[in-house]
Amino acid sequence: MGLLFSDEIKNQLESELMRAENDIQIISAYCKKAAIKFVDDCILHPMQRKRLMVRFSYVDIASGASDLEVYEFCRNNGWELYMRLDLHAKTYVFDKLRCIIGSANLTSRGVNLIEESNYEIASLTTISEDELSRIDTLFDDAVRIDDDLYNTLTEYASKRNAGSHEKSDWDESILRLFDTKVDVLFTYDFPNCASLSN
């Protein structure tokens, strides 16, 4: 399907959002409120599910790379919002059939909503059942943000110097929510090793 460059990413994203009929899943390390509003405004059909995963590290919030207020927008517009502190991916999945994958975060600069945008490259491709299963696992392993967690994050961020870019993160009570829990293992979780014979 070929590579997409900068404004082509925005145009393809808009087209796929208008075409989608059932399900939108977005994974983006950074997310700004204006960009998720752009996405939501492009959706023409009632969705069975809309979900978004972001990183929301403290440094992302303090530096302005992401907006905590994304949660309020999501809550008020039918999006499930998830948080994963090790996230670096940028993937947009439409109807569990097609996806845009590349370098573009869900920010105004990332998806070319403003004149001073980043130069990004992405690709539109189809998605397999196995790949969808792995994306589901990614969401299962993330923390879903609710009012309590949002209030905790907001309160903590307001106590810190909002202009600080120091290498720091949320306090331990928040970080404990992200401790790895292993409930099920898949074959792709294990390294590919040859068996040893006697």
Side-chain angles (χ1 to χ4, degrees), residues 3-188:
L3 291 178
L4 304 168
F5 298 87
S6 283
D7 60 326
E8 295 172 342
I9 297 171
K10 177 194 172 187
N11 295 339
Q12 191 67 56
L13 177 60
E14 195 169 5
S15 173
E16 293 297 331
L17 289 165
M18 288 193 254
R19 179 182 172 192
E21 296 183 345
N22 297 299
D23 187 277
I24 304 287
Q25 301 182 72
I26 298 175
I27 300 166
S28 175
Y30 299 158
C31 185
K32 300 288 280 181
K33 184 178 175 181
I36 185 63
K37 183 180 184 308
F38 163 78
V39 163
D40 202 63
D41 287 346
C42 290
I43 297 170
L44 299 182
H45 304 286
M47 293 290 115
Q48 293 179 8
R49 185 175 221 181
K50 299 185 291 186
R51 62 181 180 174
L52 167 65
M53 185 188 301
V54 295
R55 184 166 64 195
F56 269 9
S57 74
Y58 171 75
V59 173
D60 295 346
I61 303 305
S63 67
S66 288
D67 297 331
L68 273 176
E69 296 78 17
V70 164
Y71 170 71
E72 293 177 329
F73 182 89
C74 288
R75 181 189 59 199
N76 295 334
N77 292 278
W79 287 83
E80 301 168 21
L81 181 62
Y82 295 79
M83 177 176 170
R84 186 174 173 127
L85 292 173
D86 61 352
L87 189 67
H88 197 259
K90 297 95 180 172
T91 305
Y92 304 77
V93 183
F94 314 96
D95 285 338
K96 301 183 178 181
L97 298 171
R98 303 170 306 281
C99 76
I100 294 172
I101 184 165
S103 63
N105 280 295
L106 187 57
T107 64
S108 294
R109 290 180 183 275
V111 294
N112 209 50
L113 300 183
I114 57 175
E115 192 171 332
E116 308 83 23
S117 291
N118 300 332
Y119 199 90
E120 309 283 2
I121 299 176
S123 180
L124 175 68
T125 186
T126 56
I127 189 164
S128 71
E129 287 294 325
D130 179 60
E131 290 162 340
L132 278 172
S133 176
R134 297 181 77 169
I135 286 174
D136 283 339
T137 300
L138 192 64
F139 275 96
D140 289 343
D141 291 343
V143 172
R144 184 166 176 183
I145 303 179
D146 58 16
D147 286 349
D148 288 341
L149 178 53
Y150 171 68
N151 290 335
T152 299
L153 297 175
T154 303
E155 182 179 346
Y156 181 81
S158 69
K159 289 179 182 176
R160 299 285 300 270
N161 180 358
S164 171
H165 294 211
E166 65 189 47
K167 202 76 170 156
S168 181
D169 217 322
W170 306 108
D171 70 15
E172 282 301 315
S173 65
I174 296 170
L175 294 177
R176 275 197 296 275
L177 297 171
F178 297 89
D179 288 344
T180 304
K181 301 175 186 69
V182 178
D183 296 322
V184 63
L185 292 173
F186 295 92
T187 54
Y188 59 71

